[in-house]
Amino acid sequence: MGKLDLYTDKHLNQLRHLEDGLADKAVCSLLLEKELLSGINSWQEIPDSLPDIFPPAVKNYFEFFLKDHPHKEAPFIREAQFFFEKYSSMILSLLGFYSLPYTYAFGDGAEVLVRSRKIVENPGERLAETALFVLECYRPGAFESDKRVLMVLAKVRLIHAMSRHFIKKHAVDWDQSWGQPINQEDLLSTNLTFSLLISRGIQKSNHSISSKEREMLLAYWGLVGHYLGVDTKFWPASNKEAFELEKIIRKRHLKKSIAGKVLLHSLLNFYRKNLFRPELSPFLENILQYYLGEEISRILELNASQKLPEFFLKNLNKFSPFSQSAGNSTFHSIYKEFLTNTQKALGVEVGINLPMPRK
């Protein structure tokens, strides 16, 4: 069976009720021994020898990350990292103008996002964490000589599992018709925002991107997805497969929702009040509408009334929400500037850490 044969309502309906057993079991154990969370947060890398005090489910979880990945030494790994250095400022801008608001138009998935207090009350911090996650994924040597990315992915996967746990336990208004929170279909859709949508966004910004580069990004985010617990049997290997997968998910889940409106309103307010360059403020909804397209813009009820200025597309790489300059040419200078600018803008040091539940 080819992957295109998997992209049916029948299969995707099944994925809406599938979660991530490995991470979910680990979280159940960790929440019984909360003192382990702060120790895990202190790790820069996953140690080769795991602590003896770890419960079996937690050991099993981290041992998964210590195994060789399915694409060891594949050329696309370094190619993707070089690609990021070339387009880093543009990619970070597209996260805020395209990838993140795109997710708000998918009503059922938005129900998970809106239940995160941080996303609604501190959208800038949430956006910064997403950008930091992307930076860490593209760190030179990631998946080869540099193992720090595995620690980041392990934390993000546990954060997803913790979100599932707390929604199931505390969200009394959760509607089972939405599927399980952060289910396999939603994980696939989210991974597409970092690969397929970034490719589209670069092209929409009047920059050329080859078919080979598009498929290289898909392969790279397929590897990331492997560590995030995505069922990679469904992950597209070709541009056609990615197009068809996004198309059917869009057809299945695009819909207006109060959750989507709340999330978009919060993001727009953040841009207007905090980081967005004043000269672009009148065009903010036009910018989002340009990237999101007519259908999603209608779902999100974007109120675009002015034409997008030409200088914006020509200078997108200068308009990152965190003032990322276009001059940096190495990952380490990009990374350092990002951390400096986010701390200056948000007043906090951005990191990716497991939340510490209240006692």
Side-chain angles (χ1 to χ4, degrees):
M1 178 183 289
K3 292 201 175 183
L4 290 176
D5 296 326
L6 296 175
Y7 301 156
T8 65
D9 286 330
K10 177 183 175 182
H11 287 110
L12 295 179
N13 285 339
Q14 293 172 348
L15 292 185
R16 289 213 71 72
H17 297 281
L18 293 178
E19 300 165 300
D20 178 1
L22 187 67
D24 292 335
K25 290 175 184 175
V27 160
C28 287
S29 293
L30 286 170
L31 291 178
L32 293 174
E33 301 183 47
K34 298 183 181 68
E35 66 278 3
L36 298 178
L37 294 172
S38 58
I40 292 171
N41 276 336
S42 70
W43 290 354
Q44 294 294 311
E45 295 184 16
I46 301 172
D48 292 331
S49 180
L50 296 168
D52 291 333
I53 60 171
F54 272 14
V58 180
K59 275 192 172 181
N60 289 341
Y61 177 76
F62 283 107
E63 284 171 353
F64 169 85
F65 290 86
L66 296 174
K67 298 174 184 175
D68 283 343
H69 60 74
H71 299 288
K72 191 175 181 180
E73 299 179 1
F76 72 76
I77 294 176
R78 293 186 185 181
E79 290 170 2
Q81 291 162 8
F82 289 140
F83 180 88
F84 179 77
E85 284 194 341
K86 179 180 178 182
Y87 288 107
S88 59
S89 295
M90 183 178 297
I91 289 171
L92 293 177
S93 293
L94 288 169
L95 289 177
F97 297 136
Y98 193 6
S99 298
L100 189 58
Y102 168 93
T103 64
Y104 298 166
F106 293 77
D108 295 345
E111 296 293 344
V112 174
L113 298 174
V114 81
R115 283 164 172 75
S116 166
R117 182 173 296 180
K118 178 178 284 188
I119 294 176
V120 176
E121 297 180 1
N122 298 296
E125 195 171 331
R126 180 66 180 84
L127 176 57
E129 288 171 357
T130 301
L132 180 60
F133 161 71
V134 169
L135 279 163
E136 292 288 2
C137 286
Y138 282 115
R139 182 185 289 276
F143 303 111
E144 295 179 323
S145 59
D146 194 317
K147 304 300 182 184
R148 282 174 288 185
V149 68
L150 300 181
M151 189 66 245
V152 171
L153 294 172
K155 286 181 180 179
V156 169
R157 188 171 174 181
L158 286 175
I159 290 169
H160 289 165
M162 292 177 82
S163 296
R164 276 192 295 271
H165 176 89
F166 287 113
I167 286 174
K168 287 182 172 184
K169 186 174 181 180
H170 300 293
V172 294
D173 60 342
W174 185 261
D175 188 331
Q176 291 302 314
S177 70
W178 299 333
Q180 297 296 339
I182 316 182
N183 57 69
Q184 283 292 324
E185 185 182 22
D186 288 345
L187 288 171
L188 284 168
S189 181
T190 300
N191 239 31
L192 286 173
T193 69
F194 297 118
S195 50
L196 174 66
L197 259 66
I198 292 299
S199 296
R200 287 180 178 173
I202 290 173
Q203 187 171 23
K204 282 174 174 279
S205 304
N206 295 333
H207 288 259
S208 61
I209 178 169
S210 68
S211 175
K212 182 181 178 181
E213 287 173 321
R214 289 170 181 268
E215 293 192 346
M216 172 262 295
L217 286 179
L218 288 173
Y220 198 78
W221 283 93
L223 176 56
V224 172
H226 164 76
Y227 285 110
L228 288 179
V230 176
D231 185 345
T232 53
K233 177 177 71 174
F234 289 84
W235 183 249
S238 69
N239 294 322
K240 178 173 177 54
E241 289 171 355
F243 174 86
E244 293 298 335
L245 178 59
E246 193 270 347
K247 180 181 175 182
I248 189 171
I249 292 176
R250 179 191 288 246
K251 182 179 179 181
R252 284 165 54 81
H253 296 295
L254 271 188
K255 65 180 179 181
K256 292 182 180 181
S257 68
I258 294 174
K261 290 180 184 179
V262 169
L263 292 163
L264 181 67
H265 180 74
S266 176
L267 183 66
L268 291 174
N269 278 346
F270 165 71
Y271 283 145
R272 289 180 177 127
K273 294 178 180 178
N274 295 280
L275 301 177
F276 208 77
R277 295 179 181 236
E279 69 271 23
L280 290 177
S281 188
F283 305 100
L284 180 54
E285 294 192 43
N286 300 73
I287 293 167
L288 267 61
Q289 180 172 287
Y290 176 79
Y291 285 105
L292 294 169
E294 183 178 339
E295 184 180 25
I296 290 182
S297 297
R298 187 172 60 253
I299 293 290
L300 292 175
E301 298 182 1
L302 284 167
N303 184 25
S305 58
Q306 302 184 59
K307 186 178 179 181
L308 186 64
E310 282 189 28
F311 77 88
F312 177 82
L313 289 179
K314 292 179 180 178
N315 297 280
L316 173 64
N317 54 0
K318 298 179 182 178
F319 295 133
S320 167
F322 297 103
S323 303
Q324 204 75 6
S325 69
N328 285 330
S329 58
T330 68
F331 175 88
H332 296 292
S333 59
I334 295 162
Y335 191 90
K336 183 178 179 181
E337 184 185 18
F338 172 81
L339 292 181
T340 299
N341 289 342
T342 50
Q343 185 162 18
K344 185 187 300 181
L346 301 174
V348 295
E349 185 176 346
V350 177
I352 297 173
N353 289 301
L354 305 178
M356 301 297 294
R358 295 173 184 173
K359 295 182 180 179

